[in-house]
Amino acid sequence: MSDSAKLIIDGKEHLFPIVKGTQGERAIDITGLREQAGLITLDTSLGNTGSCLSRITYIDGEKGILLYRGYPIEELAEKSTFVETAYLLIHGELPAKDELSVFSNRLNESSLIHEDMRHFFVAFPKYAHPMGILATMVASLSTFYPVPDIMDPDAEEQFMANLISQVRTVAAFSYKKSIGEPTVYPSFKLRYVENFLNMMFSSPVKDYRQDPDIVRAVELFLILHADHEQNCSASTVRLVGSSLSNIYSVISAGISALWGPRHGGANQEVIHMLEHILATGADPKGFINRAKNKTSKERLMGFGHRVYKSFDPRAKILKQACHKLLNKPGVSNPLFDIALKIEELALKDEYFVERNLYPNVDFYSGLILKAVGIPYDMFTVLFAIGRVPGWLAQWREMVHTASFKIVRPRQVYIGQSKRHYEPIDKRISRKQG
Ligand code: ACO
């Protein structure tokens, strides 16, 4: 196989190197294209563009494979914890006992936010979306925890711990604000997930009893969401980070990107759809038909993926977890039944089959969160908590790459050619008629 690609432009041949990944993917390195041939490439939603070389996460969208640092997601989901997976993503290897203990302790010691930041919560309107609060609060961490200009490894470990730990504290505080209860401080006695659940659900008049199945379900949710290579929010993190902007603003930008319904916001939309069907007795087929209708602009939420053209492995794991958690005695699951029905119908429907549209991670994740007692508005916040280690790993990999530069795509201009300014009394209103 050739190690270079030949491009013929205006009769002249140009050779470009072919870069190979460890799993056999091949990419044409066109870095020199503009210099050599005066052309750029056009790939408007970057579906065919590799924006970096990365050692963090590998996806094979055709085969439904997802690896974090080489480890299959199925093994991590079964055997690892969120904190251990966070260490793996950031540092590249699973931690030894002492390394994990240092990392965990640092997270625990970093979990309080500056006391003055608690006053911010008072100023947000009661109906404020927690993702808006999270993005704002994470950006404002930069004012309380300035990042040194020249990074030393210990400072880097510290601000990464701040982010992983404090994002969870901010999330729980924003929930408490929304229900008008006093905030509950993190406890040094509790582990990462238990601590979050305690901050969310205990109050001065009610202890929260930890259920190991619920703790494991949240742990699983966070592990499955911890990274997903160059998706919209990770690319945002790399783009904003490439200007060497403050790390807290960088992660805040990632949170904003995640918020959209075509990205992390879809899990909330899935539950809305399932609840609507349950409440109205609507035929699930109606949703499928509306999603197929190009004039309606509606989509079947939780279906389809830019990279996965077969089952999203995370959706498979979450579906199994739903079976386990929702079949517990005393836990009702009519929404899960509707979800299973929709999946069955869609996977038999020609429209979805032809386009390789399968359930993605968001299709079943909302059901897990609902069973845990997480309110809908917080679903994407939970996704963000899980994704912070991945964003940090992506950012860290980029800034520690010797050749890294500010990201600056080009464009093909299709606007007006040069023209001259007209005085206002000579302009014709375009609103007439
Ligand atoms: N329902 C109905 N039709 C769909 C859906 C869907 N969920 N997803 C894609 N399609 C159709 C498109 O209309 C298009 O049809 P066409 O070829 O006839 O025009 C075709 O499938 C390809 O769709 P694209 O939009 O080109 O696919 P893309 O890779 O850009 O989009 C995306 C991926 C955004 C995830 C899309 O599938 C979608 O909107 N899904 C619903 C939202 C969702 O679940 N998002 C969560 C994604 S996972 C995550 O971010 C964590």
Side-chain angles (χ1 to χ4, degrees):
M1 242 184 263
S2 165
D3 283 345
S4 59
K6 191 193 296 173
L7 196 61
I8 302 172
I9 303 167
D10 300 332
K12 194 172 167 208
E13 282 183 8
H14 301 272
L15 285 183
F16 297 98
I18 292 187
V19 178
K20 285 187 196 133
T22 53
Q23 305 303 303
E25 340 77 290
R26 300 165 81 222
I28 305 170
D29 179 352
I30 51 83
T31 318
L33 176 65
R34 193 167 159 271
E35 204 180 318
Q36 275 190 47
L39 266 75
I40 59 167
T41 54
L42 182 65
D43 180 18
T44 49
S45 48
L46 306 182
N48 296 297
T49 296
S51 59
C52 59
L53 298 173
S54 181
R55 293 181 167 80
I56 304 169
T57 292
Y58 173 72
I59 302 175
D60 183 330
E62 268 68 40
K63 296 191 186 135
I65 293 172
L66 171 60
L67 311 176
Y68 291 167
R69 300 285 189 180
Y71 293 101
I73 192 66
E74 292 79 3
E75 285 183 30
L76 294 169
E78 192 192 330
K79 297 175 183 159
S80 187
T81 62
F82 175 61
V83 169
E84 187 185 63
T85 300
Y87 184 100
L88 169 71
L89 284 168
I90 291 170
H91 295 288
E93 296 295 340
L94 284 169
K97 252 189 197 161
D98 57 330
E99 290 166 329
L100 185 60
S101 153
V102 170
F103 186 67
S104 272
N105 287 341
R106 203 195 274 261
L107 290 184
N108 231 336
E109 285 158 14
S110 313
S111 58
L112 271 179
I113 54 169
H114 194 290
E115 192 61 12
D116 290 349
M117 287 186 78
R118 287 206 313 130
H119 303 305
F120 293 1
F121 288 94
V122 178
F124 289 113
K126 189 173 164 13
Y127 49 81
H129 195 289
M131 280 300 273
I133 298 183
L134 192 68
T136 310
M137 294 298 283
V138 168
S140 58
L141 284 172
S142 65
T143 62
F144 287 87
Y145 304 94
V147 176
D149 276 347
I150 298 162
M151 280 178 277
D152 69 87
D154 196 56
E156 191 179 77
E157 285 297 317
Q158 187 53 53
F159 67 68
M160 289 193 297
N162 286 353
L163 275 156
I164 296 171
S165 203
Q166 292 172 357
V167 86
R168 170 195 58 166
T169 309
V170 168
F173 282 14
S174 69
Y175 171 60
K176 286 296 191 191
K177 150 88 190 176
S178 75
I179 57 169
E181 283 189 5
T183 47
V184 175
Y185 287 110
S187 159
F188 71 94
K189 292 182 193 149
L190 296 173
R191 289 151 53 98
Y192 190 93
V193 171
E194 282 98 327
N195 225 332
F196 174 65
L197 292 169
N198 191 59
M199 283 191 276
M200 286 284 290
F201 300 122
S202 70
S203 82
V205 292
K206 183 173 57 91
D207 278 345
Y208 177 69
R209 282 237 310 275
Q210 304 275 353
D211 172 341
D213 289 339
I214 294 283
V215 172
R216 190 60 209 160
V218 176
E219 195 96 59
L220 181 70
F221 175 94
L222 297 177
I223 292 170
L224 294 181
H225 287 79
D227 194 51
H228 213 231
E229 52 116 305
Q230 309 314 316
N231 54 72
C232 176
S233 55
S235 301
T236 301
V237 161
R238 282 189 182 252
L239 181 82
V240 178
S242 80
S243 74
L244 286 183
S245 183
N246 182 285
I247 185 66
Y248 296 102
S249 322
V250 168
I251 298 300
S252 171
I255 292 168
S256 301
L258 185 73
W259 191 356
R262 291 212 172 167
H263 193 8
N267 54 15
Q268 198 180 333
E269 305 281 331
V270 172
I271 294 292
H272 282 148
M273 172 178 73
L274 300 179
E275 294 220 307
H276 178 83
I277 293 173
L278 183 67
T280 60
D283 183 356
K285 244 193 141 101
F287 274 85
I288 294 179
N289 288 337
R290 274 207 296 285
K292 286 156 55 177
N293 178 355
K294 295 288 172 202
T295 53
S296 83
K297 289 213 159 119
E298 275 185 45
R299 288 193 166 189
L300 187 59
M301 299 315 279
F303 262 74
H305 198 275
R306 172 61 60 84
V307 180
Y308 291 117
K309 298 304 165 198
S310 68
F311 227 96
D312 177 339
R314 302 165 302 171
K316 252 190 209 169
I317 297 169
L318 284 171
K319 187 177 170 185
Q320 278 169 10
C322 280
H323 276 297
K324 199 169 158 208
L325 191 68
L326 302 177
N327 285 337
K328 275 182 84 167
V331 184
S332 69
N333 59 14
L335 295 183
F336 183 39
D337 293 339
I338 298 171
L340 291 171
K341 184 76 200 157
I342 290 181
E343 182 191 322
E344 187 195 326
L345 290 170
L347 294 184
K348 279 190 208 146
D349 191 298
E350 209 177 304
Y351 174 96
F352 290 85
V353 175
E354 267 175 9
R355 291 170 178 75
N356 294 316
L357 300 171
Y358 290 85
N360 60 47
V361 67
D362 287 329
F363 193 66
Y364 289 109
S365 65
L367 287 165
I368 297 275
L369 296 182
K370 188 172 155 51
V372 170
I374 306 289
Y376 302 146
D377 274 2
M378 294 284 292
F379 283 8
T380 319
V381 170
L382 267 280
F383 190 155
I385 296 173
R387 187 51 61 86
V388 168
W391 288 331
L392 289 171
Q394 298 286 345
W395 171 86
R396 191 167 179 262
E397 183 177 67
M398 179 184 70
V399 295
H400 290 293
T401 302
S403 58
F404 118 84
K405 287 184 174 179
I406 188 166
V407 177
R408 176 40 169 107
R410 291 195 170 253
Q411 62 168 12
V412 176
Y413 177 70
I414 54 168
Q416 294 277 359
S417 299
K418 184 177 174 185
R419 52 183 171 165
H420 293 288
Y421 183 87
E422 280 172 7
I424 196 159
D425 51 354
K426 295 226 167 126
R427 295 176 214 158
I428 299 159
S429 170
R430 276 165 296 274
K431 276 207 167 152
Q432 281 167 2

